Amino acid sequence: MKNAISAIFLLFSPIFCVMSQYDVRCEYILNPERNIAYVRQNAEFWIRNAFDPEYGGFFSNVNRSGNVTTLTPQRQGYEKIPYKRKSFIVQSRHGYGFTRAFMLTGDEKYLDYAESALNFLYDYGWDTKNGGWYCVAKSNGVIDVTQNWAPDLNQKWSFQQHYGLVGIIAHYEATRNPKAEEFMNKGIRSLYENMWDDRPGYEGYYTYADLNWSNKREKGFTPIVDAITTNAELSFLVTHKPEYKDRLLELADIIMDRFISEMDNSSVKVLYPEIFSTDWSVNLNSSKIGSVGHFLKTAWCLGRAYLCDATRNEYKNAAIRILDEAWGYKNRGVSIWDHEYGGPFNEINILTGEWSGNKGNTKDYWTLEQGFTASMINYYITGNEIYLRMADESLSFFMNHFVDSVDGEIFYLLDKTGTEVLNGTKGDDYKGSYHSIETGYYAYLYSSLYYLKQPVNLYYRFSPETEIREITLNPLLMKDDNLAISEITLNGEPFTSFNPQKRTLTIAPGQGGKFKVTFIPSELLSSVNAENVNLLRVSLSRTTGQLYLDGLDGVNCIVIADMTGKVCVERKVTRSSINIDMTDYSTGAYMVICYTEAGRKSVYKIMK
C-alpha cells in the first residue's frame, strides 16, 4: 500500500512545476494574486467617481481624472440643457465587473454595487412593449434620443442585446439571484426568438432590427462572436442546458463557415471581413478597417468552443491560424504584432494590409486584453510557447502602461511605446469596469489554472432557501473537464457537503451565506472515482482536529499520507462513516486516499 501512496505523490508533485522553455516575465502571470489587488483598485475607482446614489447605477461619461462629464442635446427640437448619461451597455458591464470583483476579493459590498447597476438596467433598460434591451438613458432612466447617435430612436442593435446579458449571467453565476435568473431567461429567449435567423443555410443572429423586431437585417462579427463572449458560453457553464451548448457550437461553426473561410478570399490581405448582408454576402468595402482585437477575440472564442467539445479540431486549428497570422504577419514594416514593444496593434486595412489611418499602430486597452486571453487559452490547448510569449507580452504591456497610477483605472488608447496617452477617457457609452476587471479576472484564473497549474479561490453568495438544492460550479472550461473542488468554507467555517469532481454543492434548507471555493486541477485529487463513492464527504474540524469521512459505501480501506508520500494512517473500513483523530498531526497538507473493493481510488487533499 505504501508503494501505491508513493506513486500517487509522484503523480501530484509535478503539478507545481511549469515545464516551459520561454521565460515568462509578467508578474501578474507569475504571481496571479496580484490581479486581485488590481481588480479591487479598479472597482474602487468607479465607486468613488461614477456611482449615482440618487437613482442607482453608474454614470457613463468619465474623464481621465475621474470626473463625470455632461452632454448637451445635439438633435433638433430638444432644449440645450446639459445632463448626465447612463448607458445600459455600461450598466450590464458594471454588473459584470463588480460581480467579478466580489468573486475575487470576497468583499460583499461589490455585489451591492453590481446589483445597483443591474437593477437600473432591469427597471429602465428593458423594452416592456416589444421585449429586448434599450441602449442609453439619462441619469433618471428616461431613454435618451437627444444625441446624434440615438440607437433607441428606431432600432434594436445586436451589440446591446448580447451585452445586456453579460453582467446578468455573471451575477446569476455568483448568487443564483432569482431576478438575475428571470432577466437572463428573458434576454436569451428574446435573442432566440427575435434575432436568430433560422433559415437553412443562413443561420445566425441579425445585426439590426426595428424597435418592434421587424425589418431584421445584416450579419457579421458583433452578433456572432460577441454572442459567445457575452452569453453563449457562460449560460451553458452556469445552467448546463444542452441547448445552450448547442448554440455555442453552432456559433463556432458559423465563425468557421463565414469568417475563417474569408481569410482565403484573394481580395483579403490580412484578418477577415466582419460585415455581411442578411444573406451572408460579404461587404468588403464596409469591412476594410479591420479590428485586431476582434481578430484575436475570435481565437479566444474558438479556444473556448474547442474546450467545450474537444472532438472539434477545426476550432483549434482555426484559432492557431489566427494567432500565427497575428504573430507572423509583416508587410513593408506593417505588422499585427509589435515585436519591439510587445502586444498587438489596433487596426489594419484588410484589403491593403496597411495601417488604418492614425490609429493603426496604436494600442487599445481591450485589444491588449484579447492578446492575453486568446493567447493563454490557446497556449493551454496546444503548448505552443509562442502563444505563451504573446500572452506574456500583452499582459505586461497592459499592466505596465494602461494602468493609470495617478487617477486610477485604465487609459483608453496609447501610442505603441506606451509612453504617450492618446485618449485618457475612463468611461463612455461602452467603457466601464468590464474590460479592465475582466482582464484581471482571467489573468488570475488563466495564469493559475492554465499555466501554473495551481489552485484558485472564488467567492459565491447563495441566500438560504426553504428546500435542499444542488448547485454546480463551472468558472471556466478545461481539457477533459480537468477541474475539481478541493475545499469550501461557508461564512468562514468548513463546508463539506460537496462532490469534488462534479463540483456540486449540496446546500441544506435554511443554509446560505458566503462560500469560498477552492478550485484545483483534478490531478491533485484523482481522475478515477469508484461509482459508489461519488458522494463521499471529507471534512477536517479546525477546532477538534477530527477528520470526518461520510459516504464510504463501497470503500474498504482509507489511507492518509503527507505530501512526502509518508503513510500516516492506514485503516480498514467497515462502516459508511468514520472519524480519525488528527490532533497530533503537524500543520500542513495531507492526501486522503479511499480504496474500493475493486481497487479503484479517490484522492482528496486536506489542509490542517
Side-chain angles (χ1 to χ4, degrees):
M1 189 69 69
K2 186 174 181 178
N3 290 337
I5 299 301
S6 299
I8 285 175
F9 176 66
L10 290 173
L11 172 66
F12 293 123
S13 57
I15 297 301
F16 300 100
C17 301
V18 179
M19 304 303 294
S20 171
Q21 297 301 312
Y22 174 73
D23 183 17
V24 172
R25 298 172 177 82
C26 181
E27 285 297 320
Y28 290 84
I29 295 176
L30 296 172
N31 183 9
E33 297 289 325
R34 292 191 65 175
N35 293 287
I36 298 175
Y38 157 79
V39 164
R40 185 186 292 275
Q41 290 168 359
N42 284 3
E44 293 297 328
F45 172 90
W46 294 104
I47 294 171
R48 184 171 63 250
N49 294 299
F51 179 69
D52 180 4
E54 182 178 4
Y55 294 103
F58 291 83
F59 297 113
S60 301
N61 299 87
V62 181
N63 66 16
R64 176 172 176 169
S65 60
N67 296 318
V68 176
T69 58
T70 59
L71 300 178
T72 301
Q74 296 173 324
R75 296 180 65 240
Q76 294 295 322
Y78 294 95
E79 193 173 357
K80 306 300 183 181
I81 299 176
Y83 66 95
K84 295 178 180 179
R85 179 137 135 163
K86 288 180 184 168
S87 159
F88 294 121
I89 298 168
V90 166
Q91 303 313 309
S92 181
R93 289 180 160 200
H94 278 308
Y96 179 96
F98 278 94
T99 296
R100 295 309 192 205
F102 160 72
M103 293 179 71
L104 288 181
T105 67
D107 191 333
E108 293 183 72
K109 78 175 182 182
Y110 295 140
L111 275 185
D112 296 335
Y113 283 105
E115 289 176 359
S116 179
L118 293 174
N119 284 334
F120 189 88
L121 175 68
Y122 301 150
D123 291 343
Y124 304 108
W126 183 259
D127 181 348
T128 57
K129 178 180 179 181
N130 301 298
W133 301 105
Y134 293 116
C135 285
V136 288
K138 296 184 177 181
S139 61
N140 61 0
V142 174
I143 303 302
D144 183 15
V145 294
T146 67
Q147 298 297 309
N148 290 334
W149 183 68
D152 300 314
L153 188 63
N154 53 20
Q155 70 178 19
K156 291 281 177 28
W157 184 27
S158 62
F159 185 92
Q160 172 59 348
Q161 304 314 308
H162 291 294
Y163 270 102
L165 285 164
V166 68
I168 297 171
I169 303 177
H171 192 249
Y172 177 70
E173 176 187 15
T175 64
R176 293 309 192 268
N177 180 284
K179 195 169 186 180
E181 181 180 26
E182 174 193 352
F183 277 93
M184 175 182 71
N185 292 335
K186 287 170 66 172
I188 293 175
R189 186 166 60 249
S190 176
L191 276 173
Y192 281 30
E193 294 176 356
N194 296 316
M195 296 223 76
W196 184 258
D197 185 350
D198 59 3
R199 294 177 298 156
Y202 301 102
E203 292 88 351
Y205 287 117
Y206 295 103
T207 304
Y208 301 105
D210 289 352
L211 283 177
N212 63 359
W213 299 112
S214 63
N215 191 26
K216 301 169 187 179
R217 57 200 182 273
E218 297 186 28
K219 297 195 176 87
F221 170 90
T222 293
I224 302 301
V225 179
D226 280 338
I228 294 178
T229 59
T230 59
N231 62 86
E233 181 204 28
L234 189 54
S235 62
F236 168 63
L237 290 178
V238 173
T239 69
H240 323 292
K241 291 182 178 180
E243 59 265 35
Y244 293 162
K245 178 180 179 180
D246 291 344
R247 179 51 52 90
L248 168 61
L249 298 180
E250 191 169 12
L251 290 166
D253 287 339
I254 293 171
I255 290 174
M256 297 296 303
D257 295 340
R258 304 300 181 181
F259 304 152
I260 303 303
S261 64
E262 287 293 333
M263 292 176 69
D264 296 321
N265 188 322
S266 60
S267 298
V268 176
K269 299 296 187 294
V270 65
L271 311 188
Y272 65 74
E274 298 184 13
I275 299 175
F276 294 75
S277 72
T278 304
D279 293 337
W280 282 113
S281 295
V282 64
N283 189 330
L284 288 177
N285 189 55
S286 297
S287 299
K288 66 182 179 181
I289 306 304
S291 165
V292 173
H294 287 175
F295 193 54
L296 294 169
K297 182 186 278 192
T298 306
W300 185 22
C301 290
L302 288 169
R304 287 185 278 183
Y306 173 76
L307 291 176
C308 185
D309 184 353
T311 68
R312 305 298 297 272
N313 285 315
E314 63 268 29
Y315 301 158
K316 176 178 68 174
N317 293 335
I320 289 171
R321 182 178 181 183
I322 289 172
L323 292 177
D324 287 352
E325 182 169 299
W327 178 257
Y329 177 80
K330 292 181 181 179
N331 176 24
R332 296 179 300 177
V334 175
S335 63
I336 297 174
W337 204 265
D338 184 350
H339 294 284
E340 182 178 5
Y341 297 101
F345 288 120
N346 191 1
E347 294 179 349
I348 197 167
N349 188 310
I350 72 170
L351 302 182
T352 66
E354 303 290 341
W355 297 129
S356 170
N358 296 326
K359 292 179 63 177
N361 62 345
T362 59
K363 304 280 179 68
D364 180 282
Y365 69 102
W366 69 268
T367 300
L368 268 293
E369 179 200 358
Q370 310 307 312
F372 168 76
T373 53
S375 301
M376 185 61 87
I377 196 171
N378 283 290
Y379 164 72
Y380 168 68
I381 291 169
T382 67
N384 188 330
E385 292 194 354
I386 292 296
Y387 306 155
L388 178 61
R389 179 175 177 178
M390 294 168 75
D392 185 37
E393 289 185 5
S394 297
L395 194 60
S396 292
F397 192 98
F398 184 97
M399 292 298 185
N400 290 336
H401 300 295
F402 274 95
V403 177
D404 184 348
S405 60
V406 176
D407 295 310
E409 243 284 328
I410 59 173
F411 299 122
Y412 201 112
L413 190 71
L414 304 177
D415 77 329
K416 68 178 183 179
T417 69
T419 58
E420 182 181 356
V421 178
L422 303 177
N423 185 343
T425 298
K426 300 296 172 58
D428 58 21
D429 287 333
Y430 305 96
K431 187 179 185 295
S433 63
Y434 170 59
H435 281 295
S436 58
I437 289 181
E438 183 184 53
T439 300
Y441 180 73
Y442 281 114
Y444 173 69
L445 291 184
Y446 283 12
S447 300
S448 299
L449 294 170
Y450 287 174
Y451 177 60
L452 297 172
K453 308 294 193 295
Q454 68 183 28
V456 297
N457 295 314
L458 292 176
Y459 292 88
Y460 300 81
R461 187 175 73 186
F462 303 132
S463 299
E465 294 188 2
T466 58
E467 297 182 356
I468 191 171
R469 55 190 162 146
E470 283 194 351
I471 295 177
T472 302
L473 303 179
N474 289 306
L476 80 174
L477 292 161
M478 294 187 70
K479 289 186 286 189
D480 303 317
D481 201 25
N482 183 30
L483 185 66
I485 293 175
S486 63
E487 182 181 10
I488 301 179
T489 63
L490 170 56
N491 300 325
E493 296 297 322
F495 178 85
T496 61
S497 297
F498 68 93
N499 183 296
Q501 294 284 15
K502 293 183 177 180
R503 302 183 302 278
T504 301
L505 287 63
T506 302
I507 303 177
Q511 192 174 41
K514 183 168 72 174
F515 293 78
K516 180 183 179 182
V517 182
T518 302
F519 296 93
I520 201 164
S522 295
E523 296 99 323
L524 293 182
L525 297 173
S526 173
S527 61
V528 184
N529 272 326
E531 192 172 312
N532 290 335
V533 295
N534 279 339
L535 297 179
L536 179 66
R537 297 183 179 90
V538 180
S539 64
L540 177 62
S541 171
R542 297 178 180 177
T543 55
T544 67
Q546 295 294 310
L547 175 67
Y548 177 70
L549 299 100
D550 186 28
L552 295 173
D553 298 328
V555 175
N556 65 355
C557 181
I558 294 289
V559 174
I560 299 176
D562 64 21
M563 296 304 288
T564 70
K566 177 184 176 181
V567 175
C568 304
V569 172
E570 181 177 342
R571 179 175 297 184
K572 293 290 184 181
V573 176
T574 58
R575 302 190 308 273
S576 63
S577 62
I578 61 173
N579 289 345
I580 297 176
D581 188 358
M582 296 187 67
T583 305
D584 297 330
Y585 284 45
S586 300
T587 300
Y590 294 86
M591 306 305 297
V592 179
I593 305 98
C594 304
Y595 288 89
T596 70
E597 296 173 359
R600 295 180 178 178
K601 61 184 180 295
S602 293
V603 186
Y604 300 84
K605 181 181 177 183
I606 59 173
M607 298 295 297
K608 183 176 186 297

